[in-house]
Amino acid sequence: MKASKKPVLPRVPMPNQPPAERVRNFDEVALGYTPEMARQEAGRCLQCKKPRCVKGCPVEVPIPQFIAALAQGDVEHAYRIIKTTNSLPAVCGRVCPQESQCEGACILQAKGQPVAIGRLERFVADEYMHRDACGLITGKPECPYIDPEKKVACIGSGPASLTAAGYLAAHGCKVTVFEALHELGGVLVYGIPEFRLPKEKIVAKEVNALRELQVEFVRNRVGGKTFSISDLFAQGYKAVFIGVGAGLPRFLGVPGENLNGVFSANEYLTRVNLGRAYSFPEYDTPIIRGRCVTVFGGGNVAMDAARTAMRLGAESVHIVYRRTQAEMPARHEEVEHAIEEGVQVAELCGPLEFRAGENGSLAAVVLQKMELGEPDESGRRRPVAVQGATVELPTDLAVIAVGTRSNPVLLENEPELKLTGRGYVSVDEETGETSMPGVYAGGDIVTGAATVILAMGAGRRAAKHIARSLGCAVED
């Protein structure tokens, strides 16, 4: 008789703050696995001979190997395995869309219960966070020798630049990161709320580990305004990496969009996250706290804005989306958390007009009812207006989260940089090098708004070629 197949155990659920509690604070929602839970979940991995999960990961983390080490209780070894390809595992374990990447490719996905790879990655990284900084970045106990002559400048301090800086410093290059804002981390700090990604516990820890590798950070310096790329080369830098992101907001183009009370998601989240408006008056950065809030868009940024508004005391929060909830590009987990917290979804609706109240500020938005028609170029059914079907929704605060465009500040002042037809930096796909020799780029400024892990992959890829061009030791 054939041996019976090993039964597939159910996925270990992630402990979370209860919705009624978390909606009143900005503490992290997901509480993390205990060691026992992590080992139980790691034991579900089938250790496939041809692991599809690795191919689903943009930075190709050796997933079966780190999970096997974790299943044996060897957290340190599991961390070193992850660090061979992933510079920011504590970040990725929290914000990457694993369901469409590594977990989406897991063979157990067919049963609807893929291994919780992201949660395990987060556990390993969090457990290792108390270790020394060199090990945190390089995965090795010793710090490398930094050659002061092999100078590299990174413009921007988001995930692409931090990854590039970490890789280069780990291979002996002297890296300086230039950041336009007063805090480091780019979108990790100003874009993603504290309840999804803690700033001091996670982001600051990663930045401080880079400092231990002699990475220098220069804040309040705007590329294209306070310095140019030619200035950097004149100062002795041998290569430059551009990771300035895509932070120029898109708007809806409907009447009344300039009324007081209408925000772009960029401004709204930056005021709350970077400006610490959620801690007013401890931080003197107040923000309008809407009573009836409407958010336009269906991605993760829209979820972040809606969930933030709930925590700031809104009586009602609606997310308006032209298609159905099932077609929202946001992570399923983020949508579920938003609904648990009281956010309402107005699907198959689009904005027609913002209307002012007696005081001249935003008071309502007129919505056009939609239905799904034939598929468009993306393969999704196109939303079509239902003639004569409109509804007015009371709104005193609106947040527009329908995407971004490339950051133009640096690009407008560097005419030698070749751009794509969409206004992003054109690069060699294999190396990340731009039309300017010695200048590389990666992340959202190349691809448009994408995920943290894709930006990290681009930063790592470019850093490899920079290291080789400068004669640094490259082992992988």
Side-chain angles (χ1 to χ4, degrees), residues 348-350 352 355 366-371 384-392:
L348 292 171
C349 288
L352 277 182
R355 290 181 175 172
V366 179
L367 302 178
Q368 169 69 61
K369 292 286 188 178
M370 317 288 283
E371 62 183 4
V384 179
V386 179
Q387 295 301 317
T390 63
V391 62
E392 184 172 291

Side-chain angles (χ1 to χ4, degrees), residues 136-166:
L136 186 62
I137 290 295
T138 67
K140 301 175 183 178
E142 68 280 356
C143 287
Y145 166 73
I146 304 297
D147 188 339
E149 297 300 316
K150 296 174 179 177
K151 295 175 61 179
V152 181
C154 294
I155 306 176
S157 68
S161 281
L162 292 181
T163 299

Side-chain angles (χ1 to χ4, degrees), residues 182-254:
H182 64 282
E183 288 195 30
L184 303 168
V187 70
L188 303 178
V189 170
Y190 69 75
I192 302 176
E194 181 78 9
F195 56 80
R196 280 217 294 139
L197 181 63
K199 308 306 177 240
E200 293 298 323
K201 176 184 173 183
I202 302 301
V203 180
K205 182 75 174 181
E206 300 283 13
V207 170
N208 288 333
L210 289 171
R211 286 195 175 101
E212 292 295 319
L213 288 177
Q214 301 179 43
V215 174
E216 181 181 358
F217 290 92
V218 181
R219 295 176 292 182
N220 301 309
R221 296 289 299 278
V222 183
K225 292 297 183 182
T226 56
F227 68 91
S228 66
I229 291 175
S230 59
D231 290 337
L232 296 176
F233 282 117
Q235 293 169 21
Y237 290 97
K238 302 298 191 295
V240 174
F241 177 80
I242 301 172
V244 295
L248 186 66
R250 294 183 182 276
F251 289 93
L252 298 169
V254 301

